[in-house]
């Protein structure tokens, strides 16, 4: 039987990331065990009946829950201060399940328009087909959130900082507007990481991660997680989750558990590197602006000071020479790799206008501040001096 490692006192984050949620088998293994199993066997038919009735604790099928996956969920709950969680096969599975499980035909959703493309597809197209209307607003303008509310508004959805321009939305203020309207606020907290922003403490009702990003952080596997109060998970998410099957593979859950052990160390190093790169880039005459949620010149510096800790692992920069300069700069980098992923141990750079945001109209891109010279840089855990040398060398070639 599995034994839970319940500490007598609440653990601080770095400790919780190493020990939180661990369940040890009778062998007393040091590392978390990988239960690569689809199902479970029962000693008797009576035991199976009791397990299915929920009269006896235990696992029944890995689409519902699995011991390794549960360890990952419990470790995330410890980090986030959430009562319950469900791990999913990808970040998009998390977004899609959290949104779909809690709306019905005739409901209405309000979302900040600076959305990851696939999130926009779920809100506009998938929910639209099911008869759920949506309104997209400028997330930083609180009056727009208020004006968008209708009697049938059930959900608010936002990402902050946003992709790729790293705008920061006032989560506490938006949560208050949502609650006044009788709606729930779901926050996609990927860009902030669990280390830099706590949406549940700021009043959000549900928080979502793509664990593919910083939580794995080593380019290996996709994953996601939905965290909320026990009642919402039991009443809204649980049946949808069990019967539609977005469940995380136990193997990936095991990788993500090991990722969590080093998350605080990696995010600290990535943030220090991003801050150094932001300052080096801001000093260049070839760069028209640097957007970094750790610099005093960030347009949302006041909100950032209130709701985030320690800056960001990401930054955006605009090169004066437009697309040609952005491509020349990216191609001249030797250490920083061209990739649309983020949160990795390796530093990665992407040109949103031609990759992640290419399907938007020119008008929609302009609205989001995504010009032809804009690049998004995800800082890795390399030595910061090598990264600064790399960008300075590349800038010289622009
Ligand atoms: C990557 C990402 C997702 C989707 O996650 P996957 O694991 O790729 O499915 C959702 N939201 C944001 C903000 C992301 O960066």
């Amino acid at each position: 039987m599995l034994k839970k490692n319940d500490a007598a006192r609440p653990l601080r984050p770095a400790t919780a990331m190493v020990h939180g949620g661990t369940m040890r088998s009778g062998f007393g293994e040091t590392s978390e065990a990988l239960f690569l199993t689809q199902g479970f066997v029962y000693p008797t038919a009576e035991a199976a009946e009791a397990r299915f009735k929920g009269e006896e604790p235990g696992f029944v099928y890995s689409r519902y829950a699995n011991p390794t996956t549960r360890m990952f969920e419990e470790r995330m709950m410890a980090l986030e201060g959430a009562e319950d969680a469900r791990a999913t096969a990808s970040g998009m599975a998390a977004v899609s399940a959290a949104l779909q499980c809690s709306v019905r035909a005739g409901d209405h959703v309000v979302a900040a328009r600076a959305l990851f493309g696939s999130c926009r597809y779920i809100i506009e197209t998938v929910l639209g087909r099911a008869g759920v209307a949506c309104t997209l607003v400028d997330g930083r303008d609180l009056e727009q959130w208020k004006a968008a509310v209708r009697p049938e508004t059930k959900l608010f959805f936002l990402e902050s900082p946003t992709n790729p321009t790293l705008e920061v939305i006032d989560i506490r203020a938006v949560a208050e507007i949502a609650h006044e309207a009788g709606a729930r606020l779901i926050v996609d907290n990927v860009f902030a990481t669990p280390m830099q922003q706590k949406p549940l403490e700021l009043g959000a009702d549900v928080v979502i991660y793509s664990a593919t990003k910083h939580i794995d952080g080593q380019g290996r596997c996709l994953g996601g997680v939905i965290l909320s109060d026990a009642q919402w998970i039991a009443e809204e998410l649980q049946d949808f989750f069990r019967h539609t099957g977005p469940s995380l593979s136990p193997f990936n859950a095991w990788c993500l558990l090991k990722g969590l052990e080093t998350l605080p160390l990696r995010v600290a190093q990535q943030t220090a590197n991003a801050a150094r790169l932001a300052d080096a880039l801001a000093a260049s005459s070839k760069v028209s602006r640097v957007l970094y949620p750790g610099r005093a010149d960030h347009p949302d510096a006041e909100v950032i000071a209130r709701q985030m800790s320690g800056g960001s692992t990401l930054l955006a920069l605009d090169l004066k020479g437009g697309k040609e300069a952005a491509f020349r700069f990216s191609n001249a980098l030797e250490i920083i790799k061209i990739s649309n992923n983020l949160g990795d141990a390796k530093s990665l750079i992407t040109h949103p206008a031609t990759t992640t945001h290419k399907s938007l109209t020119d008008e929609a891109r302009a609205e989001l501040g995504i010009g032809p010279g804009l690049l998004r840089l995800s800082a890795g855990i390399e030595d910061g001096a090598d990264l600064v040398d790399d960008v300075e060398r590349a800038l010289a070639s622009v």
Side-chain angles (χ1 to χ4, degrees):
M1 208 46 215
L2 292 171
K3 279 190 73 181
K4 238 170 134 165
N5 177 23
D6 278 331
R9 290 170 291 280
L11 303 173
R12 292 177 179 83
T15 313
M17 289 311 89
V18 176
H19 296 283
T22 303
M23 293 186 277
R24 290 206 163 80
S25 79
F27 295 115
E29 63 281 356
T30 308
S31 176
E32 297 73 11
L34 169 52
F35 292 93
L36 202 54
T37 182
Q38 299 163 339
F40 304 85
V41 297
Y42 314 95
T44 60
E46 287 78 7
E49 183 184 28
R51 195 80 62 89
F52 269 76
K53 279 187 175 163
E55 289 168 354
E56 189 183 88
F59 296 92
V60 296
Y61 191 49
S62 285
R63 169 149 48 76
Y64 288 17
N66 167 282
T68 308
T69 306
R70 191 61 191 159
M71 284 193 256
F72 170 63
E73 290 167 348
E74 297 229 3
R75 196 166 286 181
M76 283 301 305
M77 286 151 57
L79 179 57
E80 208 63 41
E83 289 174 2
D84 205 355
R86 289 293 180 275
T88 56
S90 69
M92 282 323 303
V95 172
S96 148
L99 283 167
Q100 289 191 73
C101 77
S102 45
V103 287
R104 315 278 178 273
D107 287 347
H108 174 243
V109 177
V110 187
R113 71 181 174 210
L115 289 177
F116 187 72
S118 304
C119 296
R120 197 159 174 155
Y121 178 82
I122 306 271
I123 288 174
E124 290 188 324
T125 308
V126 177
L127 295 188
R129 280 179 197 152
V132 176
C134 75
T135 306
L136 297 182
V137 299
D138 175 346
R140 287 189 297 182
D141 183 347
L142 298 176
E143 294 309 316
Q144 289 196 22
W145 288 100
K146 284 183 198 156
V149 169
R150 299 182 195 169
E152 62 275 20
T153 304
K154 288 284 156 43
L155 287 181
F156 276 28
F157 183 86
L158 65 86
E159 298 171 22
S160 183
T162 62
N163 179 26
T165 51
L166 308 173
E167 291 176 358
V168 176
I169 299 173
D170 186 337
I171 295 174
R172 193 182 292 281
V174 174
E176 275 168 20
I177 300 167
H179 296 157
E180 239 163 70
R184 276 200 175 75
L185 172 62
I186 303 181
V187 173
D188 179 336
N189 205 41
V190 169
F191 272 52
T193 84
M195 309 311 301
Q196 290 165 337
Q197 181 170 275
K198 301 277 186 211
L200 297 178
E201 286 174 14
L202 295 167
D205 303 285
V206 181
V207 59
I208 283 168
Y209 289 98
S210 162
T212 313
K213 311 295 166 55
H214 304 80
I215 293 172
D216 176 49
Q218 290 152 87
R220 301 167 298 194
C221 55
L222 300 179
V225 62
I226 306 167
L227 299 120
S228 186
D229 57 88
Q231 190 183 352
W232 183 83
I233 299 243
E235 291 176 5
E236 301 282 344
L237 181 64
Q238 175 147 304
D239 284 349
F240 183 94
F241 184 91
R242 288 181 168 186
H243 302 305
T244 61
S247 335
L248 180 66
S249 139
F251 180 78
N252 286 1
W254 182 83
C255 292
L256 297 173
L257 265 168
K258 303 316 279 180
L260 281 176
E261 290 185 342
T262 57
L263 181 74
L265 297 171
R266 285 183 288 106
V267 169
Q269 174 73 2
Q270 287 170 319
T271 304
N273 283 345
R276 236 173 124 167
L277 286 167
D279 289 343
L281 286 159
S284 166
S285 61
K286 292 171 180 174
V287 175
S288 61
R289 59 172 185 160
V290 168
L291 293 163
Y292 181 63
R295 275 174 63 89
D297 61 2
H298 189 286
D300 307 315
E302 190 224 333
V303 181
I304 292 165
R306 265 188 281 131
Q307 83 180 24
M308 295 184 70
S309 55
S312 172
T313 67
L314 291 133
L315 62 112
L317 62 136
D318 238 323
L319 282 166
K320 285 179 184 163
K323 179 180 167 185
E324 199 195 326
F327 274 33
R328 196 182 283 254
F329 175 74
S330 305
N331 291 338
L333 292 166
E334 290 171 5
I335 297 169
I336 301 170
K337 302 299 175 207
I338 300 170
S339 172
N340 47 287
N341 203 2
L342 63 100
D344 201 89
K346 297 177 172 65
S347 292
L348 304 173
I349 197 161
T350 189
H351 184 247
T354 53
T355 61
T356 52
H357 291 71
K358 79 165 179 17
S359 60
L360 294 182
T361 61
D362 289 348
E363 198 183 36
R365 266 199 299 275
E367 223 175 53
L368 298 176
I370 306 170
L374 187 86
L375 290 164
R376 186 196 74 200
L377 202 166
S378 167
I381 61 171
E382 302 95 335
D383 188 314
D386 283 330
L387 298 178
V388 170
D389 286 349
D390 202 29
V391 299
E392 285 180 345
R393 229 180 359 242
L395 279 172
S397 75
V398 172

